[in-house]
Amino acid sequence: MEQGQSLSDLHSDGMQLLHATSVACHGKAVLIQGCSGTGKSTLALQLIALGGVLVADDRTQLWQGHTSLMVDAPDRLRGLIEARGVGILRAVPAGPTPLALVVDLDELEKDRLPERHETMLLGQSVPLLRGVSEPHFAPAILQLLAHGREA
């Protein structure tokens, strides 16, 4: 990220541009946030390999839809994802998708069975997972999107 650039910019139309990657699965999106180099695109590629669909890489548009927060890619980045050491790859874009979950890769989860966490986006509470550096993390995210979490 360039110096002086914020993690998000709020536009006058209520659209927020986030320095984040997002992937859809089961009609719901996960927003992956973190500083440059934390693995946003890597996690997205893992999710895509397991059946997810790219919404946006590196920059995600966020806005309040009729019933939920929505995410999509800016036009110039639609259908593109960076793979370090490989290049910019093409992907079929998911298009606008309701946001269901945020993953914060800047913080690592230390608890085996963590308490539920939430974050606020555009004044709405969204479930939050902290990063997990284990091979089950990507499949667990997809399982959570598909079937939820035990209370």
Side-chain angles (χ1 to χ4, degrees):
M1 188 168 17
E2 297 175 19
Q3 188 174 13
Q5 190 177 19
S6 68
L7 286 177
S8 66
D9 297 311
L10 185 60
H11 298 269
S12 59
D13 62 0
M15 177 108 35
Q16 189 171 17
L17 185 63
L18 302 172
H19 178 232
T21 295
S22 49
V23 174
C25 194
H26 302 288
K28 303 171 196 170
V30 55
L31 180 83
I32 307 163
Q33 62 185 21
C35 292
S36 292
T38 56
K40 295 181 297 295
S41 297
T42 299
L43 179 55
L45 286 166
Q46 291 170 340
L47 293 167
I48 292 165
L50 295 170
V53 182
L54 179 69
V55 175
D57 184 42
D58 196 50
R59 297 284 186 266
T60 298
Q61 294 176 326
L62 173 74
W63 71 95
Q64 177 61 56
H66 293 293
T67 59
S68 64
L69 292 174
M70 300 292 294
V71 292
D72 197 7
D75 289 338
R76 65 179 170 63
L77 298 176
R78 188 175 314 283
L80 301 174
I81 185 166
E82 178 186 347
R84 286 183 189 234
V86 178
I88 305 297
L89 306 176
R90 296 181 191 276
V92 176
T97 308
L99 179 64
L101 177 68
V102 173
V103 171
D104 184 352
L105 294 179
D106 286 336
E107 291 190 55
L108 289 180
E109 184 57 64
K110 294 175 178 78
D111 295 331
R112 179 178 173 195
L113 298 172
E115 294 182 23
R116 291 177 186 256
H117 305 289
E118 295 188 345
T119 189
M120 295 297 286
L121 293 172
L122 297 180
Q124 287 198 27
S125 180
V126 181
L128 171 80
L129 291 180
R130 295 175 178 149
V132 175
S133 56
E134 297 289 337
H136 71 273
F137 193 44
I141 290 169
L142 295 179
Q143 187 69 20
L144 184 111
L145 289 175
H147 301 290
R149 180 175 157 180
E150 179 65 24

